Amino acid sequence: MEWIRRETIGHGSFSTVSLATTSGSSCKAFPSLMAVKSSGVVCSGALRNERDVLDDLGDCSEIVRCFGEGRTVENGEEIYNLFLEYASGGNLADRVKNSGEALPECEVRRYTRSIVKGLCHIHGNGFSHCDLKLENVLVFGDGDVKISDFGLAKRRSDDEIGVEIRGTPLYMAPESVNHGEFESPADIWALGCSVVEMSSGKTAWCLEDGVMNNVMSLMVRIGSGDEVPRIPVELSEEGRDFVRKCFVKNAAERWTAEMLLDHPFLAVDDDGDESGSLRCGEEDEALVSPRNPFDFPGWNSVQSPVNESVTFGSLVRSPEERISGLVSEKVPDWSESCDWVNVR
Ligand SMILES: Nc1ncnc2c1ncn2[C@@H]1O[C@H](COP(=O)(O)OP(=O)(O)OP(=O)(O)O)[C@@H](O)[C@H]1O
């Protein structure tokens, strides 16, 4: 395939994302405009994992489509490139940020429905995403959203030796913090955090305290006791109940994606219209959104390799040891994602 790298449209911890245009008759099978996610070949493990997972997942209209991979040499460096369908609306985190406040509930429902459908497909095929957050949900020109960024995704059977932390601290489930479990229920917890964020304009756990500026205390709050993120008052009772089902602390009792798909918050009638108590327009009047220009902290995705020195010779660590391992001497500047404490 002949293609040209165009402007950069996104950066992540693992890659740079650019626009790519194709040309030539050999490219008829591909769209003329794609997104290309690139990293140096030597550190392309997450990208190659993403490609394998997307291949295994196959077609799903709620998951970003992959058109294949390729290698280039640019400025003397060998680059691994993954070609994806291009989402012209960017990511949902930016969509919330740019709106300056909470999204209307009809939008939250619509996006949540798509995310849950995507999760049903992912979990039904034996995978967990492990890094679900609004930055990893892409918005397309027609307003549809799709789950993206499968760099940390894993198969249920994957051996976890070598990894004790993956994902983004703010979205981490109690069982991930306490026991290093990253299975489908952890994606559901992250879904709850995402719904809170869309419907309040603020990240989960930051609702009461302003910026949660200490990873250690965040981990303790997530991992211990009965506390869950505050459920936004802006949501309808259906929405609040939906979020409560995601924030069940015991992973075994948390609702699954399939159960959530039947929740009244996501109910649709045969025409695809919402059948919930409030419809778009009606709820705009009912919604009192906080007008707080809160700037989201850019929590980074992490995957921490375990080695003997940090595991005290054992892969089994107490919650206290696990949480202590996340503490850094470095004083972070939470306003810049690149300065966030990296617990990879
Ligand atoms: N297919 C796409 N179309 C349009 N924009 C995209 C696409 N893929 C990624 N982006 C943009 O690039 C950003 C970074 O992409 P992505 O999250 O996949 O990278 P990453 O290196 O895996 O990042 P991280 O793991 O830190 O979340 C996204 O938040 C989004 O804004």
Side-chain angles (χ1 to χ4, degrees):
M1 175 177 66
E2 288 165 40
W3 64 280
I4 300 169
R5 187 185 301 283
R6 305 289 182 179
E7 69 262 29
T8 301
I9 51 173
H11 287 284
S13 350
F14 300 111
S15 63
T16 299
V17 184
S18 326
L19 275 180
T21 49
T22 54
S23 60
S25 53
S26 63
C27 296
K28 290 221 170 83
F30 302 97
S32 53
L33 191 59
M34 293 188 288
V36 58
K37 200 169 164 182
S38 308
S39 78
V41 164
V42 282
C43 51
S44 62
L47 268 188
R48 282 184 280 112
N49 182 60
E50 178 159 12
R51 196 235 142 122
D52 292 345
V53 173
L54 286 171
D55 263 3
D56 286 351
L57 287 177
D59 271 356
C60 170
S61 46
E62 286 80 22
I63 291 175
V64 72
R65 205 167 149 209
C66 176
F67 297 108
E69 64 186 359
R71 287 175 190 233
T72 48
V73 177
E74 298 174 37
N75 300 321
E77 190 189 6
E78 198 180 358
I79 306 288
Y80 180 90
N81 303 297
L82 193 62
F83 299 101
L84 302 167
E85 63 181 320
Y86 168 56
S88 59
N91 67 53
L92 255 189
D94 288 339
R95 164 92 189 80
V96 174
K97 212 186 277 187
N98 295 338
S99 79
E101 54 183 30
L103 299 181
E105 185 162 317
C106 61
E107 257 188 78
V108 178
R109 284 175 193 252
R110 189 155 53 83
Y111 296 150
T112 306
R113 193 181 302 123
S114 295
I115 299 169
V116 173
K117 280 185 183 171
L119 286 179
C120 278
H121 186 83
I122 295 165
H123 297 167
N125 280 281
F127 286 91
S128 41
H129 183 281
C130 302
D131 197 18
L132 183 68
K133 55 182 175 182
L134 295 187
E135 280 168 1
N136 290 338
V137 179
L138 299 179
V139 185
F140 286 73
D142 52 7
D144 282 352
V145 297
K146 302 190 185 195
I147 301 175
S148 71
D149 192 0
F150 288 77
L152 296 180
K154 68 173 197 73
R155 217 177 246 289
R156 199 173 298 132
S157 57
D158 276 357
D159 193 347
E160 278 293 270
I161 290 176
V163 174
E164 73 163 4
I165 294 289
R166 59 169 81 213
T168 303
L170 199 50
Y171 297 78
M172 241 176 233
E175 70 274 15
S176 308
V177 170
N178 290 333
H179 310 296
E181 286 173 20
F182 296 90
E183 301 299 334
S184 52
D187 286 343
I188 300 297
W189 181 279
L191 168 73
C193 296
S194 304
V195 177
V196 167
E197 205 170 308
M198 285 189 276
S199 52
S200 68
K202 300 171 187 172
T203 49
W205 298 111
C206 292
L207 290 171
E208 290 161 287
D209 302 339
V211 177
M212 167 65 71
N213 61 0
N214 184 314
V215 174
M216 173 77 167
S217 63
L218 172 66
M219 292 294 165
V220 171
R221 280 179 80 182
I222 296 173
S224 61
D226 294 329
E227 189 189 358
V228 298
R230 190 169 71 86
I231 297 169
V233 289
E234 297 84 359
L235 268 176
S236 64
E237 187 42 48
E238 285 166 351
R240 293 164 62 76
D241 186 71
F242 180 93
V243 175
R244 267 184 228 115
K245 302 293 192 263
C246 301
F247 287 153
V248 175
K249 279 240 163 180
N250 181 345
E253 290 170 12
R254 203 170 299 147
W255 278 35
T256 64
E258 231 169 89
M259 291 160 80
L260 288 169
L261 206 49
D262 288 333
H263 190 280
F265 184 57
L266 304 187
V268 284
D269 63 27
D270 288 339
D271 299 328
D273 293 332
E274 292 159 35
S275 60
S277 56
L278 287 175
R279 292 167 201 276
C280 254
E282 291 172 350
E283 70 195 7
D284 282 350
E285 286 169 30
L287 187 79
V288 183
S289 307
R291 300 197 65 84
N292 181 350
F294 183 82
D295 199 18
F296 295 105
W299 293 85
N300 283 334
S301 306
V302 295
Q303 180 169 3
S304 77
V306 176
N307 61 39
E308 292 296 310
S309 61
V310 296
T311 58
F312 312 104
S314 162
L315 287 172
V316 181
R317 299 171 67 189
S318 70
E320 290 77 14
E321 287 165 345
R322 297 172 54 76
I323 289 166
S324 304
L326 296 170
V327 179
S328 162
E329 295 286 308
K330 189 180 167 194
V331 179
D333 172 2
W334 300 124
S335 63
E336 289 295 330
S337 59
C338 57
D339 282 334
W340 281 66
V341 171
N342 191 346
V343 295
R344 180 176 296 127

